[in-house]
Amino acid sequence: MGDLKVVALRTIKLMDLTSLNDNDSDETIIELCKSANTVVGNTTAVCIYPRFIPLAKKQLRLQGTPDIRVVTVVNFPHGNDDIDIAVAETKAALIYGADEVDVTFPYRALIAGNENVGFEMIKQCKATCGNNFLKVIIESGELKTEALIKKATEISIKAGADMIKTSTGKVLINATPDAIKTMLSVIKKVGAENSVGFKVSGGVNTVEDAKAYFMMADSIFGTKWTNNNMHCRFGASSLLINLLHTLDKDID
């Protein structure tokens, strides 16, 4: 098997197959769930808006893939600094049946110099999640500087995040190699590689993009780390088509 085919297989098994569009419908979500069950194996999860969680759970059960996790988003994509609302949204998502929650870090507050609100939001959202997985979207493209990206990553880890995620995919600049390297380096520096994972989202559109990320992450943590879906994820939608094309497979 060729190198890119190996990368494609690795990536599919680590994907949060995503649909977070304003025009999403029941039909969109049903098709997303079907697509997550590929001919070469399932994606780790589907990532959808909260209102679609019960539908996704039902469809995954009906198609015989109940182990595919359902991820949803809160405080998204705006990254506001209202902790009470973020916690309330997290509670609602869990009541709907979410397996994992992706919360947007209050990045504008951090840019303005307020480090505490981000810490408290993540801490309280994680307390609400309990054993459910909490990912924190730091919106690296809006933070821009290495110092702020480091700070948001450090705060999120200290506050109890299970995974750090680059981007919402809703801003002009999403995941970049520099931001990814910075975030991975922080996880390594603070010794959190066994307890905190990393999700690259936005900007990974081809198998070549995925390969570049794997090379970076493998060099820091090793392939065992990056093959574990509790440590490594890709948040993507159109990427799946490219990966299956690389494997000479159809999406259906």
Side-chain angles (χ1 to χ4, degrees), residues 11-20 32 36 42-48 68-72 100-102 133 135 163 165 198-201 229-230 232-240:
T11 306
I12 287 172
K13 295 173 183 177
L14 299 171
M15 284 186 66
D16 288 357
L17 188 61
T18 301
S19 189
L20 294 168
L32 186 80
N42 297 336
T43 67
T44 292
V46 293
C47 183
I48 55 178
I68 295 176
R69 301 170 72 84
V70 175
V71 182
T72 197
E100 302 179 5
V101 173
D102 289 12
F133 217 60
K135 307 193 203 79
M163 185 171 277
K165 176 179 171 182
F198 181 78
K199 178 176 173 179
V200 56
S201 182
N229 64 13
M230 293 294 104
C232 179
R233 297 280 185 90
F234 292 83
S237 51
S238 60
L239 174 62
L240 181 61

Side-chain angles (χ1 to χ4, degrees), residues 18-39:
T18 301
S19 189
L20 294 168
N21 304 305
D22 292 340
N23 62 348
D24 282 345
S25 63
D26 287 0
E27 291 74 21
T28 303
I29 302 308
I30 288 170
E31 288 306 311
L32 186 80
C33 292
K34 290 179 179 178
S35 296
N37 179 23
T38 84
V39 294

Side-chain angles (χ1 to χ4, degrees), residues 3-249:
D3 179 51
L4 290 181
K5 290 183 184 293
V6 172
V7 171
L9 279 174
R10 286 180 75 183
T11 306
I12 287 172
K13 295 173 183 177
L14 299 171
M15 284 186 66
D16 288 357
L17 188 61
T18 301
S19 189
L20 294 168
N21 304 305
D22 292 340
N23 62 348
D24 282 345
S25 63
D26 287 0
E27 291 74 21
T28 303
I29 302 308
I30 288 170
E31 288 306 311
L32 186 80
C33 292
K34 290 179 179 178
S35 296
N37 179 23
T38 84
V39 294
V40 293
N42 297 336
T43 67
T44 292
V46 293
C47 183
I48 55 178
Y49 280 123
R51 65 184 182 275
F52 293 116
I53 294 170
L55 175 64
K57 284 281 190 177
K58 179 180 179 180
Q59 177 59 36
L60 292 171
R61 186 171 62 252
L62 288 174
Q63 68 188 38
T65 58
D67 291 339
I68 295 176
R69 301 170 72 84
V70 175
V71 182
T72 197
V73 290
V74 302
N75 206 42
F76 182 94
H78 45 75
N80 289 342
D81 60 4
D82 193 313
I83 296 171
D84 290 341
I85 291 177
V87 170
E89 289 179 350
T90 300
K91 289 178 179 177
L94 297 172
I95 290 171
Y96 272 133
D99 299 302
E100 302 179 5
V101 173
D102 289 12
V103 58
T104 307
F105 189 93
Y107 60 89
R108 282 185 296 271
L110 180 62
I111 293 169
N114 186 338
E115 299 181 12
N116 185 63
V117 66
F119 180 87
E120 284 300 322
M121 180 178 290
I122 305 314
K123 180 181 177 180
Q124 291 188 36
C125 286
K126 178 54 188 173
T128 301
C129 282
N131 292 328
N132 292 82
F133 217 60
L134 180 72
K135 307 193 203 79
V136 179
I137 312 166
I138 68 164
E139 201 69 291
S140 58
E142 293 294 285
L143 292 174
K144 294 183 173 63
T145 69
E146 182 180 2
L148 283 172
I149 292 169
K150 281 183 177 179
K151 181 59 67 175
T153 305
E154 290 169 352
I155 291 170
S156 299
I157 292 172
K158 288 178 182 177
D162 295 300
M163 185 171 277
I164 313 298
K165 176 179 171 182
T166 54
S167 320
T168 62
K170 300 293 187 181
V171 294
L172 186 61
I173 300 174
N174 293 288
T176 65
D178 286 345
I180 291 169
K181 184 177 181 180
T182 296
M183 296 167 72
L184 290 173
S185 296
V186 170
I187 293 172
K188 179 69 173 180
K189 182 179 179 180
V190 302
E193 59 265 32
N194 292 324
S195 57
V196 178
F198 181 78
K199 178 176 173 179
V200 56
S201 182
V204 181
N205 300 308
T206 68
V207 67
E208 291 82 6
D209 293 334
K211 179 181 178 180
Y213 165 61
F214 275 130
M215 290 177 65
M216 188 183 303
D218 287 348
S219 70
I220 297 173
F221 299 116
T223 57
K224 185 177 180 180
W225 193 88
T226 54
N227 282 327
N228 184 330
N229 64 13
M230 293 294 104
H231 289 158
C232 179
R233 297 280 185 90
F234 292 83
S237 51
S238 60
L239 174 62
L240 181 61
I241 297 172
N242 183 274
L243 298 177
L244 290 172
H245 178 73
T246 300
L247 294 165
D248 302 316
K249 302 293 184 181

